[in-house]
Amino acid sequence: MNREATLSVDTATVERLMPVLRFADQARRALQYPALGIAGLFALWYWGGWAIGNNEDTMAFASFAPGPTLAAFWDIVSSGAVWSPIESSLYRVGWGLAYAIAIGVPLGVMIGYFLTLKQVTHVPFQFLRMISPLAWMPVAVLAFATWDAAIIFLIAIAAVWPITYATAHGVQRIDPMWLKVGNNLGANPYHTLRYIVMPAIAQDVFAGIRLAVGVAWIVLVPAEYLGVTSGLGYAINDARDTLEYDKLAAFVLVIGIIGYMLDAICVRLIKRSSYHAEG
Amino acid sequence: MGAAISIDYITHHYPGQEAPTLKDIQVTVAPGETVALIGQSGCGKSTLLHMLAGLLLPSEGCVRINGHQVIKPSPRWNMMFQKPSLYPWMTVRKNASLGLIFQGRKTDMRERIDQLLETVGLSEKAEVNVQSLSGGQQQRVALARSLATDPELLLLDEPFSALDAFTRVALQDEVTRLARERGISVVFVTHDIEEAVAMADRVLVMGSNPGTITAELPIDIAHPRDRNSQAFVDRKAELMGYFGATRTLAADKGSAEAEAPTPDTESEQDESSSSESRARVRAA
Ligand SMILES: Nc1ncnc2c1ncn2[C@@H]1O[C@H](COP(=O)(O)OP(=O)(O)O)[C@@H](O)[C@H]1O
Ligand SMILES: [Mg+2]
């Protein structure tokens, strides 16, 4: 802002305008770099589409370019065709995460609390963690009656590790004095959990959930390539089979947008659950 | 309605340590009495205090409060530590209310806490997060938290040693006043001779290896105590004398710095008589 210019206006006006100006300035600062990043991504996409369209070998895929993709995106949104796959996918991710949280948080609390348990579980858990969840696919299909259940299982098994270990990490960081003071004030185990342990580890748990959401959302799409006839992964596979590459790219766009929103929700939850003064 | 405490021949071994940390400690505290425990770092003061609080059970002997053996913590006896250890996700009020919440005494909790916060001078701060408070204010919240459940006994483990001089003196006087008003018995650990003389009715001097009570000094000065009065100065000098006489001995060995050493030199400790190790108590 040009201070000399504003100084020449009478001060009452300036004072009234100040909050507005300040807000505009803040908004500009907050948005300018993200806008730059988005523009960069679009430029890259545009260039990629142009390169594909101008190459004889890849010309058939020219509708991956921003123009056709955005048109198809508008199509699936305005026709409402986009909602049903989103719903199926979110349903699976939601349940998968719910199971992962229900298992991971208590497990993490115990691993963080009992050193022995941590040592006992270290090798098996690290071993299991490094197996791609998709490797369980055949097992999951055999073990579960429905495709939905199998996919939920795969998501849960992928998402449980970050939640477990983030929780355990949070528990290990609990100040032992907090437990001692609680004990001294006559807290029973429920009180300790509810008033001391849970608030103390909330931020770590949500940080784990954020990682888990990322993993779950990545596992979801390949899991939906198999068997099921609904969901975003299926929609992509289906568009490929029918050679509708613009629609395929539009669903990729949808996956990215929803993934981004899920992550943004997690970031908010992490901030809200932080007890640090500046959080 | 302060608690009568009887510490009956406590001897304590920590697992893995051959020498007892405490040996044959026998002390009684009358209802409403304030007793100071003073002694070299590592002589077992905190250990003894934890036993009074029911946070630790002695290997031999027992603690009785009002005739009942102490086997676990209770809201009726409350311990305050060097650090306030408040819960940073709670407001001042919530922190102070915690003992009552754990006891399930939620009726008229609000009024009680309001009153208590006023007593410790934090009415204005009731709804703010404790992280925004100064060290002294935080320790005041911890005091309110300890008093909320109407304890009969307050145990203080060097509770003011991390505070600046002004805040420390103010809190010493405040705790003494509150404890006397309410008839609460107090047992506190300190490194500070002036603090002992300012607050205590009786000072117990502890020696180490093994931890025993080596001397006892009544402080018969009326409250509120004037720190510049002759009686006060005399008492301080007298108490200092317990350390001063042996301090020269310690000085010969090159540990005139009264700051208590860590018990890293086993052999030196073995040679030292218990009175000599007392000399290393930080006497100021
Ligand atoms: N949990 C513990 N396990 C083993 N030894 C301990 C433990 N706590 C304290 N000690 C030992 O007991 C002795 C007394 O400790 P403490 O009561 O904290 O002394 P003070 O409070 O007088 O400084 C020290 O030598 C210390 O090393
Ligand atoms: Mg100590």
Side-chain angles (χ1 to χ4, degrees), chain B residues 12 14-15 17 21-22 39-50 56 157-158 189 191 206 209 263:
Chain B
H12 189 69
Y14 276 111
Q17 291 186 355
T21 303
L22 296 176
Q40 170 188 5
S41 187
C43 72
K45 305 180 297 293
S46 299
T47 304
L48 187 57
L49 220 55
H50 277 73
L56 183 69
D157 195 351
E158 303 176 27
V189 166
H191 276 143
M206 268 182 86
N209 292 325

Side-chain angles (χ1 to χ4, degrees), chain A residues 251-264:
Chain A
F251 272 109
V252 170
L253 199 61
V254 170
I255 289 171
I257 291 171
I258 295 191
Y260 182 88
M261 289 187 336
L262 291 177
D263 189 64

Side-chain angles (χ1 to χ4, degrees), chain A residues 175 177-178 180-187 191 195-196 199-200 275-277, chain B residues 50 55 73-74 78-79 81 83 85-90 98 101-102 131 145:
Chain A
D175 183 344
M177 285 302 290
W178 289 341
K180 196 191 256 186
V181 167
N183 198 359
N184 190 221
L185 288 171
H191 290 141
Y195 292 96
I196 302 169
Y275 57 77
H276 297 289
Chain B
H50 277 73
L55 291 167
S74 154
N78 215 293
M79 182 136 161
F81 304 91
K83 282 199 313 174
S85 292
L86 302 174
Y87 299 106
W89 49 87
M90 294 177 185
L98 225 45
I101 293 175
F102 292 168
Q131 289 174 88
R145 176 173 69 183

